[in-house]
Amino acid sequence: MNDVKASIDGWGSGLLGVIIFSGSLPATRVAVAGFSPLFLTSARAIIAALLGAALLLLLRQARPDRGDLVSLVIVAFGVVIGFPLLTALALQHITSAHSIVFIGLLPLSTAIFAVLRAGERPKPPFWVFSSLGSATVAAFALFNGGSASPTGDLLMVASIIVCGLGYAEGAILSRRLGGWQVISWALVLAAPVVLLLTIMTLPVSWQDIGAPAWLGLSYVSVFSMLVGFVFWYRGLALGGIASVGQLQLLQPFFGLGLAGLLLHEQVPWTMIAATGLVVACVVFARRFA
């Protein structure tokens, strides 16, 4: 019963994390209209680092062991710097609606690193359905290659690889340190680097930066960079990295809806069809994870 409850809690926490993350790419798309990708990446990290440090101090959390530092560096590289920077660069070439479909590759990336870093062993059918979902995403990207940017697509693929590594590594640490503690310590660890980047990439003029860009920066700083990880790492730690990681396949649904609703971007039927097929794979992959 305890295992069942942990699994249910893990999937519930993971779903909340996915819902929060769903607004990340649309918010980033809005923010890069006013800020450079480098400034946006560093600014969101330093804001979240200040919030994370405040939580660690107020709740008197013990420092991680020295042996945890390598893992925290990997988390910082993957989800604090790597994924935000690569997606911000990609969104200068492609729409947020197009980039969101690449999120369908995240569960496969996370599952691979769950095997390499956490020693999980999903059953063979799991890989079939997870690969099918990823292949659907790749086919969509190729099908729409005429209207998209190869540079943007490659940047999105790179972001998925480093993000999967950061997810898996953070989930392992979360079993010992706790979800919010892991992302908070990773943010604090990256703070000196991102603070320097923030200073070096300050906008020349603040007057031309509109309210939507500020709102986008606020969302990715507070929710995408900190709050979402509280639920996501807890979900991965409780329910299994490869298993709960499949929930990321639901993110394109939420993200495409936000891109169409808030940004008025076109969401063609091919995106919806590709997303529907990808999401269907999570039902079958979950049974064999």
Side-chain angles (χ1 to χ4, degrees), residues 92-106:
Q92 291 189 315
H93 303 277
I94 57 178
T95 66
S96 63
H98 185 81
S99 67
I100 284 166
V101 182
F102 281 84
I103 300 300
L105 292 169
L106 253 181

Side-chain angles (χ1 to χ4, degrees), residues 2-275:
N2 289 336
D3 290 342
V4 174
K5 185 178 184 301
S7 179
I8 294 174
D9 288 346
W11 275 71
S13 293
L15 182 59
L16 283 174
V18 166
I19 292 172
I20 292 171
F21 289 152
S22 296
S24 299
L25 291 178
T28 300
R29 174 71 172 175
V30 171
V32 293
F35 302 105
S36 71
L38 277 174
F39 177 79
L40 178 63
T41 299
S42 56
R44 66 187 280 183
I46 201 65
I47 292 170
L50 291 172
L51 295 174
L55 285 173
L56 292 169
L57 288 173
L58 289 173
L59 299 178
R60 299 180 180 179
Q61 297 297 300
R63 292 182 181 180
D65 295 334
R66 183 171 297 180
D68 294 330
L69 290 180
V70 173
S71 292
L72 286 172
V73 168
I74 293 174
V75 173
F77 168 76
V79 303
V80 175
I81 297 175
F83 183 76
L85 176 59
L86 290 168
T87 53
L89 290 170
L91 286 166
Q92 291 189 315
H93 303 277
I94 57 178
T95 66
S96 63
H98 185 81
S99 67
I100 284 166
V101 182
F102 281 84
I103 300 300
L105 292 169
L106 253 181
L108 181 60
S109 177
T110 304
I112 291 172
F113 285 112
V115 172
L116 296 176
R117 300 294 300 172
E120 293 189 3
R121 293 293 183 267
K123 296 177 182 179
F126 167 86
W127 297 108
V128 173
F129 291 110
S130 187
S131 298
L132 177 60
S134 299
T136 302
V137 174
F140 170 82
L142 291 173
F143 181 78
N144 290 273
S147 59
S149 164
T151 300
D153 288 349
L154 288 174
L155 286 168
M156 282 304 303
V157 170
S159 74
I160 294 304
I161 293 173
V162 299
C163 189
L165 173 60
Y167 279 172
E169 199 70 30
I172 298 169
L173 275 181
S174 295
R175 294 168 181 168
R176 300 198 309 274
L177 301 181
W180 72 267
Q181 291 93 332
V182 167
I183 190 59
S184 295
W185 284 118
L187 287 164
V188 170
L189 191 63
V193 175
V194 296
L195 178 59
L196 179 61
L197 283 174
T198 302
I199 295 173
M200 293 173 59
T201 58
L202 285 171
V204 177
S205 173
W206 300 91
Q207 296 179 351
D208 298 330
I209 301 173
W214 285 110
L215 289 173
L217 174 60
S218 300
Y219 187 91
V220 296
S221 300
V222 178
F223 293 97
S224 304
M225 202 79 263
L226 183 61
V227 177
F229 280 103
V230 174
F231 298 103
W232 183 240
Y233 276 149
R234 182 176 184 272
L236 292 176
L238 289 176
I241 300 171
S243 177
V244 174
Q246 298 304 298
L247 281 171
Q248 201 78 39
L249 290 171
L250 298 174
Q251 185 168 327
F253 263 140
F254 301 121
L256 288 173
L258 287 172
L261 182 65
L262 300 180
L263 304 183
H264 306 293
E265 294 182 355
Q266 291 186 351
V267 182
W269 71 267
T270 51
M271 281 189 181
I272 299 173
T275 303

